[in-house]
Amino acid sequence: MLVIIMGVSGTGKTSLGEILQKDLRLPFYDGDDFHSKENINKMKKGKSLDDLDRQIWLRDLSKILRIWEKKDGAILACSALKESYRKILASKLKSEINWIILYGKYEIILNRVRKRKNHYFKAELLNSQYSQLELPNYGLHYNVEIPIKNIAKEIVLRFNNEII
């Protein structure tokens, strides 16, 4: 099983992934860990990534997803803001991705991003992510005003009951 948790920065993708890895017994990976040094340096300087910056990152992730698919699966936290990005991620796969979409009001997410320590994503970049965000009409959608623990419980119940 492959699970991708998507949403803008600060929605709790990593927190949710860390909970789900235990409950679903799947390895968890954060897509941010696969960014190039150039992309990370650009974001550290407060500059948003463009489609070209993301292309290599997304293609690399799609190849890695294929490897995980051949194994026992995995959970990946990845912004996957646009439908075209999600298509790249799925392009090498034979099986379907279980998409979990996290969303929330801009003010709530901005407050979360401002409180984070030691993260290269700057609060001033959040607006650029919202402007690019294309929410899909598929997958499981969760408003992050609900506590992450509760979201995780519901997801595990759905996966265990194969309601996806």
Side-chain angles (χ1 to χ4, degrees):
M1 173 172 33
L2 290 173
V3 178
I4 297 181
I5 305 167
M6 66 152 287
V8 298
S9 188
T11 51
K13 297 181 298 289
T14 300
S15 298
L16 180 59
E18 289 171 347
I19 295 170
L20 290 178
Q21 77 175 335
K22 296 172 191 161
D23 294 339
L24 297 177
R25 295 187 178 111
L26 289 170
F28 168 70
Y29 303 93
D30 192 324
D32 286 346
D33 295 337
F34 297 90
H35 271 297
S36 68
K37 287 182 182 180
E38 293 81 15
N39 283 0
I40 291 169
N41 287 335
K42 188 172 184 177
M43 288 183 279
K44 280 182 177 177
K45 293 176 183 175
K47 296 180 181 177
S48 61
L49 300 180
D50 59 27
D51 286 351
L52 190 58
D53 294 324
R54 290 186 177 99
Q55 289 301 313
I56 295 171
W57 174 64
L58 292 165
R59 286 189 186 123
D60 288 348
L61 285 174
S62 73
K63 291 173 189 170
I64 295 166
L65 282 163
R66 180 69 178 125
I67 293 167
W68 296 336
E69 179 184 43
K70 290 178 181 178
K71 295 182 179 181
D72 292 331
I75 301 166
L76 175 67
C78 178
S79 54
L81 299 171
K82 295 181 179 182
E83 185 62 29
S84 61
Y85 300 170
R86 295 186 287 274
K87 285 182 179 178
I88 292 170
L89 290 170
S91 66
K92 307 273 186 222
L93 303 176
K94 294 182 180 180
S95 59
E96 294 289 317
I97 294 172
N98 295 287
W99 291 96
I100 298 170
I101 298 91
L102 300 180
Y103 66 92
K105 292 180 184 172
Y106 178 83
E107 296 78 22
I108 292 170
I109 304 304
L110 180 62
N111 189 41
R112 288 180 175 194
V113 171
R114 284 181 174 153
K115 289 180 180 178
R116 291 197 303 198
K117 305 264 189 259
N118 302 321
H119 198 284
Y120 54 80
F121 187 89
K122 304 293 181 202
E124 58 265 21
L125 296 174
L126 187 61
N127 194 43
S128 70
Q129 286 202 335
Y130 269 93
S131 69
Q132 294 181 44
L133 181 61
E134 299 170 0
L135 289 174
N137 59 4
Y138 51 83
L140 302 174
H141 293 245
Y142 293 97
N143 187 324
V144 297
E145 289 184 40
I146 300 168
I148 290 291
K149 293 184 302 187
N150 295 2
I151 293 172
K153 285 180 187 176
E154 184 177 319
I155 291 167
V156 171
L157 283 172
R158 285 178 175 253
F159 279 33
N160 288 338
N161 293 321
E162 300 176 310
I163 300 175
I164 300 176

